[in-house]
Amino acid sequence: FLLHPVPAGTTVLYNVKVENGANDTAAGTVTIFDLPAGTALGSSAPAGCTATPGDNGLTRVVCTNPTLSAMGGPYQFKLPVSTIDSQPATITVRVAIGFASTLPLATTPISAFPANDAFYGADTNSTNNRTSQTTTIQAAADLELSKSATPSPVMGGGEVTYTLTVRNNGPSVTTGFNVADTLPANVTLVGTPTGADWTFTQQNGRY
């Protein structure tokens, strides 16, 4: 995969490679993924990949493979996974390869597949039909600050009230940040700053 760790809200590209190590041709195979809660299949997913709701917040992605020739070269593709709803954590994407004709229900997680699951067909070595990849999601936020004045304009020598508004456009919860507001020359604080859940310091100059 590309980028590790990644900020929450980004799209992770997982590099996928499947191949046939047997002496016969494998047709009708699919590669399936269980994406964890808070993630989703990216918009630039390859043709032949579809997503459906799975078990306990998982998303099951099914990607159709071309015919895999005996001892032939691998089939490779990139799977985009959006983390737009993820909170900081280490997530695990599970993957398995098998046959579309015996595709398990999306409500049966890959982690629960037995070694002899019908999905693997007559594969002579089903132990390498399943794997997983972990990715660390870091906190990421988009803080937005705006400021307005009332009245505007104001007469020289008059009073003006400044209102500062802070928004977090996500995707992660953010704490511990500061807002600094520097009063312009010839302007003096005359009131007491107010604001729910804010702590104010300094009486003049920079706030």
Side-chain angles (χ1 to χ4, degrees):
F1 64 102
L2 305 180
L3 299 178
H4 181 71
V6 299
T10 59
T11 294
V12 183
L13 286 177
Y14 290 91
N15 295 317
V16 183
K17 180 173 71 174
V18 296
E19 54 191 330
N20 179 14
N23 292 319
D24 55 351
T25 298
T29 67
V30 291
T31 303
I32 65 174
F33 305 82
D34 277 348
L35 308 184
T39 67
L41 182 63
S43 59
S44 59
C49 291
T50 58
T52 56
D55 182 62
N56 291 326
L58 297 176
T59 297
R60 172 64 54 80
V61 175
V62 179
C63 296
T64 301
N65 301 322
T67 296
L68 302 173
S69 58
M71 305 299 289
Y75 167 58
Q76 302 184 69
F77 61 96
K78 297 182 186 297
L79 188 78
V81 175
S82 170
T83 64
I84 188 63
D85 293 321
S86 293
Q87 293 301 318
T90 296
I91 63 172
T92 300
V93 174
R94 302 186 187 278
V95 56
I97 184 173
F99 293 89
S101 59
T102 52
L103 183 66
L105 295 175
T107 51
T108 302
I110 292 173
S111 59
F113 290 4
N116 62 346
D117 195 286
F119 178 56
Y120 303 135
D123 196 302
T124 57
N125 180 17
S126 64
T127 59
N128 61 7
N129 284 47
R130 190 173 68 185
T131 188
S132 63
Q133 176 64 60
T134 59
T135 303
T136 300
I137 306 296
Q138 293 181 325
D142 176 15
L143 296 179
E144 176 185 343
L145 176 65
S146 60
K147 183 178 180 179
S148 61
T150 304
S152 179
V154 62
M155 296 286 293
E159 292 186 6
V160 59
T161 299
Y162 293 106
T163 301
L164 283 77
T165 303
V166 180
R167 291 185 176 87
N168 178 12
N169 296 317
S172 303
V173 174
T174 300
T175 60
F177 58 88
N178 298 313
V179 175
D181 186 28
T182 301
L183 301 181
N186 301 319
V187 173
T188 302
L189 182 68
V190 294
T192 301
T194 60
D197 301 321
W198 288 94
T199 300
F200 300 92
T201 59
Q202 298 184 320
Q203 291 301 307
N204 284 292
R206 191 180 185 192
Y207 235 84

